[in-house]
Amino acid sequence: MARYTEAVCRLCRREGQKLFLKGDRCYTDKCAYASRPYPPGLHGQGRSKTSEYGQQLREKQKAKRYYGVLESQFRGYFEIADKKPGRTGENLLSLLETRLDNVVYRLGFAMSRAEARQLVNHGHFTVNGRKVDIPSFLVKPGMVISVKEKSRNSEKIKANTEANSFRQPPGWLEYDQINLIAKVSAVPTREDIDLPVEEHLIVELYSK
């Protein structure tokens, strides 16, 4: 499947904020956005005021890049969210939040969502006791996510869980840090999602 393969630091600079796409590097002085907090390109420092459409587009791009999904995937999630009861924007973020790669990242098994996607692809995790290697797999309340038995000695996972031991998982996940097991206790609400995006602008963009 197609995937963005160019410098991800450009994406943070384009959106005007850190999207934490490179894990621990984003917390250091090596972060490109920290040293150049303006859009990339020759005219990055002299761009004019953004139009209404531009603001809506930027919010959509920000959410896409934050979760690491492509346009066709994102549009598909929007269509599902639009058919569900409740606010479409909040439904959209809730769906994105329940992707397995995002859950792996939220639990601290990976330093970034890109790394979480790779770990899932390599089959390091199980859902309800069965191996799942599809990053876009959507978890639901009652499901149990755990590190596969053979992967518990992985140096990468050990290092990540130790480095992220300070990170608190969101309220909709019950996490047993000792046994590396988590249970989905509820559907994530907007209050559980720390994404700095105005989702109503995304709804307005797709509703035109």
Side-chain angles (χ1 to χ4, degrees):
M1 186 179 74
R3 181 65 55 192
Y4 181 84
T5 58
E6 298 185 30
V8 295
C9 290
R10 290 174 58 89
L11 302 181
C12 297
R13 293 177 58 202
R14 182 64 189 89
E15 301 309 331
Q17 67 183 69
K18 288 188 179 185
L19 301 178
F20 300 97
L21 303 177
K22 298 199 75 171
D24 52 353
R25 182 186 178 94
C26 300
Y27 297 94
T28 69
D29 295 335
K30 294 182 180 180
C31 174
Y33 180 73
S35 58
R36 291 173 291 173
Y38 49 83
L42 183 62
H43 305 291
Q45 291 178 280
R47 295 188 175 179
S48 59
K49 184 178 179 181
T50 306
S51 66
E52 179 182 349
Y53 171 78
Q55 291 176 337
Q56 295 168 349
L57 179 62
R58 291 269 58 84
E59 294 303 302
K60 184 203 64 166
Q61 295 294 82
K62 189 190 304 180
K64 275 175 50 183
R65 291 164 175 172
Y66 193 82
Y67 287 103
V69 299
L70 299 178
E71 177 62 33
S72 58
Q73 289 177 298
F74 195 83
R75 184 61 186 249
Y77 287 127
F78 177 83
E79 291 176 355
I80 295 173
D82 193 37
K83 295 176 182 178
K84 297 179 66 175
R87 296 183 178 179
T88 300
E90 294 183 6
N91 291 341
L92 172 63
L93 295 184
S94 180
L95 281 170
L96 291 166
E97 194 71 9
T98 56
R99 283 173 55 99
L100 182 57
D101 55 358
N102 179 73
V103 172
V104 168
Y105 168 72
R106 291 290 193 188
L107 293 172
F109 295 134
M111 299 302 293
S112 67
R113 286 177 177 81
E115 185 178 61
R117 184 160 43 250
Q118 184 181 57
L119 290 174
V120 173
N121 273 326
H122 290 174
H124 290 295
F125 299 93
T126 65
V127 178
N128 290 345
R130 300 182 63 179
K131 185 182 78 171
V132 177
D133 56 8
I134 303 173
S136 61
F137 178 87
L138 299 179
V139 301
K140 298 178 180 179
M143 289 186 173
V144 176
I145 300 94
S146 62
V147 178
K148 197 169 65 172
E149 194 65 39
K150 292 183 179 179
S151 302
R152 291 175 182 256
N153 294 322
S154 165
E155 292 300 322
K156 171 63 70 175
I157 293 177
K158 281 184 177 180
N160 288 344
T161 52
E162 183 176 344
N164 292 321
S165 59
F166 67 92
R167 186 191 297 174
Q168 292 294 321
W172 57 280
L173 291 173
E174 299 177 5
Y175 180 39
D176 181 347
Q177 192 171 22
I178 297 177
N179 296 308
L180 304 181
I181 296 175
K183 181 179 180 180
V184 182
S185 58
V187 175
T189 64
R190 187 62 179 96
E191 290 71 28
D192 296 318
I193 304 170
D194 58 0
L195 178 61
V197 65
E198 297 181 61
E199 61 273 12
H200 67 93
L201 295 179
I202 301 175
V203 178
E204 291 174 8
L205 177 67
Y206 279 131
S207 299
K208 289 185 176 179

